[in-house]
Amino acid sequence: MINKPMLTVACLTIALSVFSGCGGEPKTPTVQSPPAASSTNSGTSAAATDMKSAANNANQPNTQSGTPANNQTAAPNVSQTGSQSGSSGAAPGTVGKAADSSLSKPGAIQVVTSPESITVLVNKQQALPESYEPKDLVYPNVPFTFTEKIDKRKMRKEAAAALETLFEGAKKDGISLAGVSAYRSYATQKTLYNNYVKQDGEEKAKTYSALPGHSEHETGLAIDVSGSNGKCAAQNCFAVTKEAKWLDSHAAEYGFIIRYPDGKESITGYQYEPWHLRYVGTQLSKELAQKNLTLEEYFNAVPVQSRK
Ligand SMILES: [Zn+2]
């Protein structure tokens, strides 16, 4: 097992390079935090980072909103199945093109126009509006690594229901999962980011902390999970656990994807995060899994490997 210090170094190293590492993921203590009435912090601290790539994020979010009609990369309905293979396939409608052209400009930040879409694309270039707050956040009825009823336990209703089904499915296979961190508000992300800026300066903070609006956790559709023992929660060593292997094989059956897969770092901008699940609905999750595509590839909006 990789120990913490090593991980820290690894994360830093990666963060300082092009990709952000340990993105968005709370460096949650590897504990099955029992009812200890600790602060609301079990995982928020070092966390919430959704580390940013310095290379592609020179701008603050919301500095421009692009062309509203076109920069909505998240097709509300996922009826585009099979129309593209990922790489240079034409994106359905204007979706991919808009995203692509904007993403080809370094530092160009776009604000998504349909943040409530289940398939919304939020990444280092696509930000949620500052005012966006999911209207249907609920507490999924699944165990977490902490007991407090706080924001980071919440998910949007549809995602929460799917998560419950996923946890049940895992249990039937002898896999006990626990939530580590789900929803995070824009305000929370902003506070975290600002604190990092105070602490390390803006340039450095950008290399490891997500700008507000850019963390997928703000959608209410993402959650970091671990085994119920909390071991390796949101850490690289989670990758070799049976829980991670189960998720890799079965998450798509329940509408979730491993959002930052191994080997796609240059596409997602994030290092492999086997613990970060994103709900996109079963139609899309199954297609992505089958074709081995990331959301960026699906929407023809690859940030880092921009095409000519
Ligand atoms: Zn995450």
Side-chain angles (χ1 to χ4, degrees):
M1 284 308 155
I2 303 173
N3 63 29
K4 265 189 169 168
M6 280 181 66
L7 279 167
T8 305
V9 171
C11 292
L12 263 179
T13 305
I14 292 165
L16 291 173
S17 67
V18 176
F19 314 133
S20 58
C22 310
E25 314 323 336
K27 295 293 158 253
T28 311
T30 60
V31 291
Q32 185 178 4
S33 38
S38 62
S39 71
T40 63
N41 241 356
S42 58
T44 323
S45 55
T49 47
D50 277 337
M51 315 245 182
K52 305 298 297 179
S53 146
N56 291 314
N57 290 282
N59 294 352
Q60 290 287 341
N62 294 338
T63 51
Q64 59 184 88
S65 55
T67 46
N70 285 340
N71 77 26
Q72 168 198 345
T73 54
N77 39 37
V78 189
S79 52
Q80 323 143 5
T81 51
S83 60
Q84 54 184 342
S85 59
S87 55
S88 58
T94 57
V95 169
K97 273 189 177 160
D100 189 49
S101 59
S102 69
L103 294 173
S104 62
K105 299 175 202 158
I109 303 295
Q110 291 204 327
V111 178
V112 300
T113 53
S114 292
E116 72 289 346
S117 168
I118 291 295
T119 59
V120 66
L121 175 64
V122 172
N123 61 21
K124 295 181 175 185
Q125 269 126 346
Q126 303 270 118
L128 291 165
E130 180 170 357
S131 60
Y132 180 63
E133 193 181 320
K135 295 288 179 267
D136 53 355
L137 291 169
V138 298
Y139 292 109
N141 186 23
V142 302
F144 271 73
T145 54
F146 55 92
T147 57
E148 299 88 347
K149 283 210 156 186
I150 50 180
D151 267 6
K152 69 175 184 174
R153 199 182 186 103
K154 293 177 180 173
M155 292 189 85
R156 289 184 59 192
K157 199 172 177 184
E158 183 178 332
L163 186 75
E164 290 169 2
T165 311
L166 179 148
F167 272 47
E168 284 164 18
K171 202 154 207 175
K172 281 180 191 155
D173 289 345
I175 301 292
S176 293
L177 301 171
V180 175
S181 185
Y183 176 65
R184 191 181 305 151
S185 71
Y186 186 102
T188 298
Q189 188 66 32
K190 188 173 183 179
T191 301
L192 283 165
Y193 177 74
N194 288 341
N195 286 343
Y196 288 131
V197 170
K198 275 182 204 158
Q199 184 184 306
D200 288 333
E202 187 177 0
E203 286 311 305
K204 189 171 176 191
K206 272 185 197 166
T207 66
Y208 65 83
S209 175
L211 288 163
H214 291 268
S215 168
E216 211 180 39
H217 286 271
E218 294 171 47
T219 64
L221 299 169
I223 181 169
D224 301 330
V225 301
S226 73
S228 59
N229 60 5
K231 203 174 175 188
C232 289
Q235 295 181 45
N236 295 347
C237 54
F238 180 65
V240 297
T241 63
K242 62 182 190 295
E243 290 85 4
K245 285 170 186 163
W246 187 91
L247 288 170
D248 190 52
S249 305
H250 299 284
E253 297 162 23
Y254 302 90
F256 288 88
I257 56 170
I258 306 295
R259 179 67 175 87
Y260 308 115
D262 195 13
K264 301 271 190 169
E265 292 85 352
S266 63
I267 292 169
T268 64
Y270 286 95
Q271 73 160 22
Y272 180 35
E273 292 190 356
W275 57 83
H276 180 108
L277 301 182
R278 161 67 194 276
Y279 181 73
V280 293
T282 50
Q283 188 180 350
L284 182 54
S285 66
K286 287 176 182 173
E287 182 178 353
L288 293 179
Q290 191 187 1
K291 296 180 178 173
N292 190 31
L293 294 178
T294 60
L295 268 190
E296 279 80 10
E297 290 168 298
Y298 182 79
F299 286 126
N300 208 9
V302 179
V304 178
Q305 288 185 337
S306 55
R307 301 184 311 277
K308 327 76 213 163

